[in-house]
């Protein structure tokens, strides 16, 4: 199979047909995708790389393949961590280590970063070949380990914007603020497709649809790497977690997935293939296993597919301690030395060891024993050096003081606020209770009302995002933003319940959030005296193991509290600040409005308040299917059988809210959907429609184009997203949109893992309308 076949799901072309007079721009996903997926020209450093490899000893080569955490070269506490000269010499001079990662425990200042990275690069310059260090951190939703940086919505929130141009701009800012710290490599974006809503890293994804994840993910990569990654404005990206990590059978982190390869190619590989085509420099591997094979020894996926079919020329890095875990967790090797051999021979180029020198010792021994050929070592080193050259590290690896001006600019906060506002999803608005009047008496209550933690989630200043003292004091929570908007006289805040962090009795390293009652009776009393209640529920912060839960249902304390507030008879606006869709079916029909704030970041409090009081017209759309029951987790593209009536005449597909849901304070009308012509063998079919703003205020509408294959050899999906566009419309304004669908966009991967197209009947579905066309 050719590498290009992995990308066919994203090759739809689109044109926008507009009148001659000036109109607000359309966010055309295809136009943006064509731009961000263009692979920039690169300097040819191959001769320099080969010359350097010829000079390198075994120890120097293996050193380049070794990554250690910052703790291995420092001492001191969080705020006073300092380089330890003896540790640094051991790592860089003695073991010739090529990469360092991480922050000690929490975000540090630019000055502190420079004091850490400067000596590390200086030590590298004292080695025989003067090969610079590549330093990596998790800049997940901004430069979240640099104090004072701009934080954006998490990926699930950015997906709810359906705005790849905004995603690209957010990533550009994250890159500038990361590089200003002297860090040149970000472990982002997450390109796992979120097909299991209970997975604790679901919020780190762009949701359940492969096409949306592909467009947004490629925009993220282009924002990070730019056209010249060596410039002071960009960093190398790392696509993670290749591949299939996001569909664990149990829903728990780092547990097995069972995904047939044709399904892997259909749903999970496209975002990675697109980002590789666009030039992404590094890839991080799935910490779990697929079909019984741990990701770190899956030679077929790493070497045959990624490096072979996709043509990936960068390097593959392991995740944290995952070679060791081949022995301790997956038990596919009797000892770490054998695990090292299996991983390197499967395609791992760099090991995130990161707390010992065992990888270096074992791999040097394996090479000397001829159990790992030098050709495999040279291939890995060649890939690592290629990225270092392209980053410009050989010219200047030191932190650049001139880049300080790229950090913390005032205009960055405006971009973050735009993103936060566009991420907010209005899911229910019974009797138009929203927007609220600024003269109404408002009670704000609930465990997420006064929590920046709930608005951000993990990877925020610390790994779990759980330290309230690290959050900026000038960024308001939801309740503070509402108070600022309407004033003290009309505002009251009573917590009711709270979310607290408790150490896990089994492991203090994996604390979990627990709901506690604070003052429910006070909240109920205050509700009775108010005109409306803004009830803020949801989650605290988590990622990876600490976020694994047995049930997606919202905690009982929160549900019980909600029922007591509802029982007052006052209008209730439910605000959900959460990273994954917690089941709310017990209370959803009893509240008057539901607003989803999917980890919108530090500007999320302002964004929620702006939406609640009508200062911003909501336009977010769900990038996932919101379940009604924890026992039935499905996706919008499940096969058509799941949507038919069962033997009791009950609809079997009944999520709480469907994928793509999202209301506005205006209304939109779709009309005149047409499939313009049948396809020639190498031709295309044109689709056109009109979208009109039929309401009284300006608004944005995301037009999602689905296509359904009516019959196929393999059971076809009920529908698939093939295109989207975000349109700004004034009251009464109509836009005509045109899309071009190519034949390749109508195919699928068969059981032979090859892409195929079958002639037949298809249906295009947009905004409640449908049109049929045939391909012969």
């Amino acid at each position: 199979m050719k590498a290009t076949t992995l990308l066919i799901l994203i090759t739809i072309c689109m044109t926008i047909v507009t009148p001659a007079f000036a109109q607000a721009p359309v966010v055309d996903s295809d136009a943006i995708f064509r731009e961000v997926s263009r692979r920039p020209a690169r300097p040819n450093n191959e001769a320099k790389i080969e010359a350097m490899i010829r000079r390198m000893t075994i120890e120097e080569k293996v050193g380049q393949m070794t990554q250690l955490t910052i703790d291995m070269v420092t001492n001191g506490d969080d705020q006073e961590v300092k380089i330890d000269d003896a540790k640094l010499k051991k790592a860089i001079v003695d073991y010739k280590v090529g990469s360092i990662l991480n922050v000690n425990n929490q975000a540090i200042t630019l000055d502190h970063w420079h004091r850490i990275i400067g000596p590390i690069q200086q030590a590298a310059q004292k080695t025989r070949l003067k090969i610079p260090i590549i330093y990596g951190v998790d800049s997940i939703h901004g430069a979240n380990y640099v104090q004072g940086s701009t934080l954006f919505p998490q990926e699930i929130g950015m997906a709810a914007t359906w705005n790849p141009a905004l995603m690209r701009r957010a990533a550009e800012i994250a890159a500038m603020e990361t590089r200003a710290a002297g860090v040149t490599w970000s472990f982002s974006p997450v390109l796992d497709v979120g097909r299991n809503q209970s997975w604790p890293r679901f919020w780190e994804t762009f949701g359940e649809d492969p096409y949306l994840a592909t467009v947004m993910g490629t925009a993220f990569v282009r924002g990070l790497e730019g056209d010249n990654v060596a410039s002071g404005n960009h960093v190398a990206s790392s696509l993670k977690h290749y591949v299939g990590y996001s569909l664990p059978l149990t829903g728990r982190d780092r547990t097995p997935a069972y995904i047939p390869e044709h399904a892997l190619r259909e749903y999970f590989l496209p975002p990675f293939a697109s980002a590789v085509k666009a030039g992404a420099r590094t890839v991080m591997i799935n910490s779990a296993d697929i079909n019984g094979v741990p990701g770190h020894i899956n030679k077929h996926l790493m070497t045959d597919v990624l490096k072979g079919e996709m043509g990936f020329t960068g390097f593959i890095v392991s995740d944290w301690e995952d070679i060791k875990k081949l022995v301790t967790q997956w038990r596919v090797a009797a000892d770490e030395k054998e695990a090292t051999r299996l991983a390197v021979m499967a395609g791992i180029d760099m090991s995130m060891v990161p707390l010992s020198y065992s990888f270096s010792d074992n791999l040097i021994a394996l090479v000397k024993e001829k159990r790992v050929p030098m050709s495999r070592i040279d291939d890995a080193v060649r890939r690592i050096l290629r990225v270092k050259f392209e980053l410009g590290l050989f010219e200047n690896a030191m932190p650049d003081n001139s880049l300080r001006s790229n950090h913390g600019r005032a205009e960055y906060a405006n971009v973050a606020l735009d993103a936060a506002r566009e991420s907010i999803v209005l899911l229910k608005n019974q009797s138009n209770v929203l927007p609220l009047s600024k003269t109404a008496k408002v009670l704000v209550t609930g465990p997420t009302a006064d929590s920046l933690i709930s608005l951000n989630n993990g990877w925020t200043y610390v790994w779990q995002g759980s330290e309230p003292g690290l959050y900026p004091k000038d960024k308001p929570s939801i309740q503070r933003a509402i108070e600022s908007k309407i004033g003290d006289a009309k505002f009251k805040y009573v917590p009711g319940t709270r979310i607290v962090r408790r150490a896990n009795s089994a492991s203090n390293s994996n604390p979990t959030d627990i709901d506690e009652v604070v003052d429910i009776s006070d909240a109920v009393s205050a509700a009775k005296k108010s005109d409306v209640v803004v009830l803020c529920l949801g989650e605290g912060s988590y990622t990876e193991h600490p976020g694994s839960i047995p049930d997606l249902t919202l905690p009982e304390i929160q549900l019980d509290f909600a029922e007591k507030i509802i029982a007052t008879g006052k209008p209730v606006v439910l605000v959900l600040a959460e990273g994954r869709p917690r089941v709310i079916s017990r209370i959803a029909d009893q509240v008057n409005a539901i607003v989803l704030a999917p980890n919108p970041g530090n500007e999320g409090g302002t964004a929620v308040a702006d939406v609640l009081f009508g200062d911003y017209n909501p336009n977010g759309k769900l990038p996932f299917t919101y379940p009604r029951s924890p026992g039935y987790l499905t996706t919008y593209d499940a096969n058509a059988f799941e949507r038919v009536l069962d033997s009791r005449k009950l609809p079997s597909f009944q999520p709480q809210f469907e994928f793509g849901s999202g209301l506005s304070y205006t209304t939109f009308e779709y009309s005149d959907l047409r499939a313009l012509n049948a396809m020639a063998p190498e031709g295309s079919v044109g689709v056109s429609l009109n979208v009109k703003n039929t309401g009284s205020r300006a608004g944005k509408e995301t037009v999602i184009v689905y296509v359904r294959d009516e019959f196929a050899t393999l059971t076809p999906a009920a529908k698939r997203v093939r295109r989207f566009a975000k349109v700004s419309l004034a009251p009464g304004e109509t836009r005509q949109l045109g899309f071009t669908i190519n034949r390749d966009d109508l195919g699928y991967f068969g059981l032979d893992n090859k892409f195929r197209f079958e002639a037949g009947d298809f249906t295009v579905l947009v905004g409640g309308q449908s049109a049929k066309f045939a391909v012969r």
Side-chain angles (χ1 to χ4, degrees):
M1 185 187 72
K2 296 181 180 179
T4 53
T5 61
L6 291 169
L7 300 174
I8 56 177
L9 297 178
I10 50 176
T11 56
I12 303 174
C13 296
M14 174 181 175
T15 60
I16 306 295
V17 182
T18 60
F21 57 86
Q23 294 177 307
V26 174
V27 179
D28 171 3
S29 62
D30 183 63
I32 294 170
F33 179 72
R34 288 196 302 269
E35 168 61 23
V36 298
S37 61
R38 174 186 53 82
R39 188 185 183 99
R42 297 185 178 185
N44 187 343
N45 296 303
E46 298 306 301
K48 296 177 185 177
I49 293 168
E50 296 306 319
M52 184 165 287
I53 288 175
R54 287 193 293 271
R55 296 178 60 197
M56 296 174 75
T57 64
I58 294 175
E59 291 77 12
E60 288 168 330
K61 292 177 180 179
V62 171
Q64 288 301 302
M65 299 172 65
T66 302
Q67 184 180 61
L68 301 179
T69 185
I70 189 175
D71 305 75
M72 296 291 285
V73 297
T74 59
N75 56 35
D77 60 25
D78 295 342
Q79 289 301 308
E80 297 299 327
V81 60
K82 298 178 181 178
I83 291 292
D84 182 305
D85 291 338
K87 288 182 176 180
L88 185 63
K89 178 180 180 297
K90 181 177 182 179
I92 307 302
V93 178
D94 298 345
Y95 272 89
K96 302 152 183 38
V97 166
S99 181
I100 305 290
L101 84 150
N102 220 357
V103 66
N104 184 261
N105 274 317
Q106 65 184 48
I108 57 178
T109 65
L110 278 183
D111 287 341
H112 203 161
W113 272 115
H114 286 204
R115 292 197 300 271
I116 295 295
I117 293 178
I120 291 173
Q121 297 294 4
Q122 289 169 345
Q125 287 302 300
K126 296 177 182 177
T127 62
R128 186 175 73 95
L129 295 177
K130 298 179 172 56
I131 301 175
I133 303 300
I134 183 170
Y135 202 108
V137 298
D138 293 273
S139 288
I140 302 298
H141 64 128
N144 40 263
Y145 282 140
V146 183
Q147 287 184 16
S149 292
T150 310
L151 297 190
F152 298 90
Q154 298 282 3
E155 281 191 22
I156 199 66
M158 293 304 299
T161 73
W162 292 73
N163 190 337
L166 194 54
M167 179 70 259
R168 178 179 183 176
R169 181 56 182 152
E172 288 172 345
I173 293 170
M176 286 190 286
E177 295 196 314
T178 300
R179 190 97 184 205
V183 175
T184 56
W185 181 19
S186 175
F187 302 132
S188 59
V190 171
L191 295 186
D192 303 302
V193 181
R195 308 283 288 184
N196 185 327
Q197 297 96 324
S198 64
W199 186 50
R201 306 190 75 170
F202 180 81
W203 54 270
E204 295 183 54
T205 77
F206 288 114
E208 70 187 48
D209 180 66
Y211 178 72
L212 177 60
T214 295
V215 175
M216 298 295 283
T218 307
F220 197 142
V221 169
R222 179 58 61 241
L224 289 180
E225 298 201 348
D227 289 339
N228 177 16
V229 76
S231 76
N233 295 330
H234 296 286
V235 297
S237 64
S238 189
L239 316 179
K240 61 186 194 183
H241 307 81
Y242 183 85
V243 61
Y245 181 37
S246 54
L247 192 64
L249 187 65
T250 65
R252 298 177 67 82
D253 187 49
R254 286 174 166 83
T255 56
Y258 297 91
I259 309 172
E261 185 170 335
H262 75 280
L264 200 69
R265 291 177 179 271
E266 185 77 26
Y267 293 98
F268 297 94
L269 281 173
F272 290 94
S274 173
V276 167
K277 181 174 180 286
R281 261 69 182 191
T282 77
V283 171
M284 186 181 292
I285 298 303
N286 174 6
S287 294
D289 82 358
I290 299 179
N291 306 326
V293 181
H296 284 73
I297 61 169
N298 198 319
K299 185 176 185 293
H300 173 60
L301 289 176
M302 285 192 287
T303 298
D304 299 342
V305 177
L306 179 60
K307 294 180 177 179
E309 293 178 20
M310 293 187 197
F312 177 60
T313 60
F315 68 85
I316 294 175
V317 63
S318 81
D319 207 339
W320 188 276
E321 286 192 327
D322 274 334
I323 290 180
K324 293 178 182 289
K325 290 172 185 173
L326 293 171
V327 180
T328 60
Q329 180 171 332
W330 301 109
R331 305 183 69 80
V332 292
D335 54 47
E336 193 177 340
K337 185 175 181 181
E338 176 60 11
T340 300
R341 186 189 71 82
L342 291 172
V344 171
M345 293 305 296
I348 294 292
D349 300 310
M350 180 183 287
S351 173
M352 189 185 291
V353 189
L355 293 166
S356 75
Y357 294 96
S358 57
F359 174 80
S360 297
D361 293 337
N362 286 325
L363 188 53
I364 289 169
L366 287 164
V367 173
K368 290 180 177 179
E369 294 165 6
K370 301 188 184 305
R371 295 176 63 195
V372 173
M374 188 61 74
S375 59
R376 172 75 266 269
I377 300 298
D378 286 349
D379 174 64
V381 174
R382 181 178 296 113
R383 292 169 176 274
I384 294 165
L385 292 178
R386 183 178 293 134
V387 173
K388 290 185 175 186
F389 270 108
E390 290 174 355
L391 279 168
L393 294 179
F394 282 91
E395 284 70 41
N396 181 21
M398 293 293 291
D400 187 344
N401 282 320
S402 70
L403 300 180
R404 290 174 181 269
S405 61
N406 284 341
H407 181 262
R409 292 182 181 177
E411 61 264 31
Y412 297 168
N414 294 330
V415 178
L417 180 56
D418 286 345
R421 285 169 169 163
E422 290 202 24
S423 75
I424 305 301
V425 186
L426 177 59
L427 292 171
K428 179 180 180 180
N429 194 16
Q430 182 178 304
S431 302
N432 293 322
V433 67
L434 294 177
L436 299 175
S437 169
K438 293 178 184 176
T439 62
K441 293 175 62 177
V442 179
L443 168 69
V444 181
T445 188
T448 64
D450 196 31
S451 174
L452 287 177
I453 289 176
S454 296
L455 296 175
N456 281 275
N457 215 326
W459 303 112
T460 307
Y461 309 120
V462 295
W463 172 45
Q464 290 293 308
S466 54
E467 298 299 324
L470 297 178
Y471 284 79
K473 302 300 185 288
D474 62 336
K475 300 299 181 183
S477 62
I478 294 171
Q479 69 94 0
R480 286 173 55 202
I482 292 175
E483 180 182 21
S484 176
K485 191 171 289 290
I486 66 174
D488 293 345
K490 298 293 184 180
F491 168 86
K492 188 170 183 62
Y493 167 62
V494 181
T497 69
R498 65 182 178 183
I499 299 171
V500 295
R501 178 138 297 216
R502 291 285 184 266
N504 188 314
S505 59
S507 171
N508 288 332
S509 64
N510 286 335
T512 56
D513 285 338
I514 298 174
D515 286 81
E516 287 186 345
V517 171
V518 180
D519 46 13
I520 288 181
S521 60
D522 291 345
V524 170
S525 176
K528 293 176 180 177
K529 301 173 185 176
S530 301
D531 296 325
V532 65
V533 179
V534 175
L535 175 62
C536 302
L537 306 180
E539 300 182 307
S541 63
Y542 57 89
T543 187
E544 302 186 33
H545 297 295
S548 292
I549 55 176
D551 188 343
L552 261 180
T553 304
L554 203 65
E556 177 62 27
I557 285 178
Q558 292 192 43
L559 291 173
D560 179 69
F561 176 49
E563 288 175 332
K564 287 180 169 62
I565 294 294
I566 292 167
T568 66
K570 294 302 177 79
V572 176
V573 176
L574 174 60
V575 176
L576 295 168
E578 58 188 18
R580 58 192 157 188
R582 302 303 292 265
V583 173
I584 56 169
S585 54
R586 195 166 119 191
I587 60 173
D589 292 340
Q590 302 174 61
V591 298
N592 302 83
I594 301 175
V595 174
L596 176 68
N599 295 149
N602 279 337
E603 302 294 341
T606 299
V608 169
D610 287 347
V611 167
L612 291 180
F613 290 90
D615 294 324
Y616 185 81
N617 192 356
N619 53 74
K621 299 282 189 183
L622 281 184
F624 54 83
T625 301
Y626 203 115
R628 184 178 297 272
S629 162
Y632 182 42
L633 305 181
T634 189
T635 55
Y636 84 93
D637 52 4
N639 68 56
F641 175 77
E642 293 195 48
R643 291 175 176 262
V644 301
L645 299 180
D646 65 19
S647 59
R648 295 172 297 162
K649 306 300 182 184
L650 297 174
S652 51
F653 185 80
Q654 281 191 316
Q656 192 72 57
F657 303 104
E658 292 205 33
F659 175 92
S661 296
L663 304 173
S664 170
Y665 294 148
T666 189
T667 53
F668 299 96
E669 179 182 87
Y670 290 70
S671 62
D672 299 325
L673 176 64
R674 300 178 183 179
L676 300 177
N677 57 275
M679 282 189 178
E682 300 300 328
S684 59
V685 59
V687 174
S688 69
L689 73 152
N690 293 330
V691 183
K692 182 179 181 179
N693 182 345
T694 55
S696 59
R697 62 181 293 177
K700 297 178 181 178
E701 172 72 346
T702 296
V703 178
I704 306 173
V705 179
Y706 302 93
V707 174
R708 179 172 65 227
D709 188 347
E710 295 296 343
F711 302 95
T713 301
L714 292 184
T715 304
K719 57 183 179 179
R720 293 285 300 276
V721 176
R722 296 306 192 194
R723 173 56 57 247
F724 62 89
K726 195 162 192 175
V727 188
S728 298
L729 295 172
E733 182 182 2
T734 299
R735 286 283 185 104
Q736 184 183 60
L737 304 181
F739 303 86
T740 301
I741 300 176
N742 298 315
R743 189 173 75 160
D744 281 347
D745 303 309
L746 305 176
Y748 63 92
F749 284 93
L751 294 178
D752 58 359
N753 303 322
K754 295 180 180 179
F755 187 80
R756 64 176 61 192
F757 167 80
E758 295 175 341
D761 297 324
F762 297 85
T763 303
V764 60
L765 307 101
V766 189
Q769 295 202 321
S770 63
K772 296 186 179 296
F773 62 92
V775 181
R776 304 304 180 199

